[in-house]
Amino acid sequence: ASELKVVKNADVNTSFLPDREREERVRDMVNKLKREWIEEQDRIKNEEVTIIFSYWDGSGHRRSIKVSKGTTIERFLEAVRAMLVKEFPQLRSASSDTLMFIKEDLIIPHEATFYDLIASRARGKSGPLFSFGVQDDVRLVNDVRQETEHTHAGKI
């Protein structure tokens, strides 16, 4: 008797079946995209941003400082302390742990970075946290209960 020969049908979709070469190509592409994304995030974190702040010791002393977006609030506060210590000797014994950065209506945690605030588009009750420029006192122009895109200087 003659035996029937089984052949593959080229019209059948086999993309759901395991394929070592295809999985390796996908894995390589995922790794390449992951590396590119990390490099892009590192580039963004190294960009400089000017932070306008007001040191509060009973009255406001407005200053600005340039830091990278990847800077933590703790390192920012240490840089601010070093900048202000000549003018305000009481800061000599202070450390960044004893200082707070208050932006809009929130105390920003020391481990947060400016990149975190910008990337997450963090918002306080009265507006954005990620806009580090400054306008005139927004409470004089607008009702505090109204959310707005304007922001005022962070307080140290």
Side-chain angles (χ1 to χ4, degrees):
S2 67
E3 291 185 28
L4 289 174
K5 193 173 188 179
V6 179
V7 293
K8 293 182 181 179
N9 183 348
D11 297 330
V12 174
N13 179 10
T14 60
S15 64
F16 62 92
L17 295 172
D19 180 355
R20 194 172 289 149
E21 289 175 11
R22 184 180 61 234
E23 289 172 2
E24 191 173 310
R25 283 193 313 268
V26 167
R27 195 173 331 109
D28 290 344
M29 180 58 80
V30 166
N31 288 336
K32 178 182 175 235
L33 292 172
K34 191 184 296 184
R35 276 192 310 276
E36 287 175 6
W37 187 84
I38 290 170
E39 288 169 6
E40 177 66 14
Q41 299 312 302
D42 288 342
R43 185 191 62 74
I44 292 170
K45 287 178 185 179
N46 288 326
E47 291 175 357
E48 281 198 338
V49 62
T50 301
I51 308 298
I52 299 170
F53 64 93
S54 180
Y55 171 64
W56 184 260
D57 66 347
S59 62
H61 306 278
R62 187 167 286 188
R63 305 283 187 278
S64 68
I65 189 170
K66 284 189 176 198
V67 294
S68 68
K69 290 180 180 177
T71 302
T72 63
I73 299 301
E74 183 174 22
R75 285 192 309 210
F76 161 73
L77 289 172
E78 187 53 42
V80 165
R81 189 195 68 75
M83 182 175 96
L84 294 175
V85 76
K86 298 172 196 105
E87 201 174 335
F88 302 98
Q90 67 270 25
L91 289 175
R92 237 179 276 135
S93 62
S95 71
S96 59
D97 291 341
T98 61
L99 298 173
M100 290 189 295
F101 182 55
I102 301 168
K103 185 68 173 152
E104 297 302 317
D105 49 1
L106 299 172
I107 298 171
I108 309 299
H110 284 198
E111 62 273 2
T113 66
F114 291 106
Y115 172 80
D116 296 337
L117 299 174
I118 294 167
S120 67
R121 300 193 181 276
R123 299 186 69 80
K125 287 182 185 174
S126 58
L129 298 180
F130 64 90
S131 178
F132 290 101
V134 67
Q135 309 286 329
D136 289 330
D137 192 347
V138 293
R139 293 166 296 168
L140 299 178
V141 180
N142 294 325
D143 185 349
V144 137
R145 294 164 294 186
Q146 299 291 321
E147 192 167 289
T148 177
E149 290 302 312
H150 300 296
T151 182
H152 53 276
K155 306 289 186 287
I156 306 291

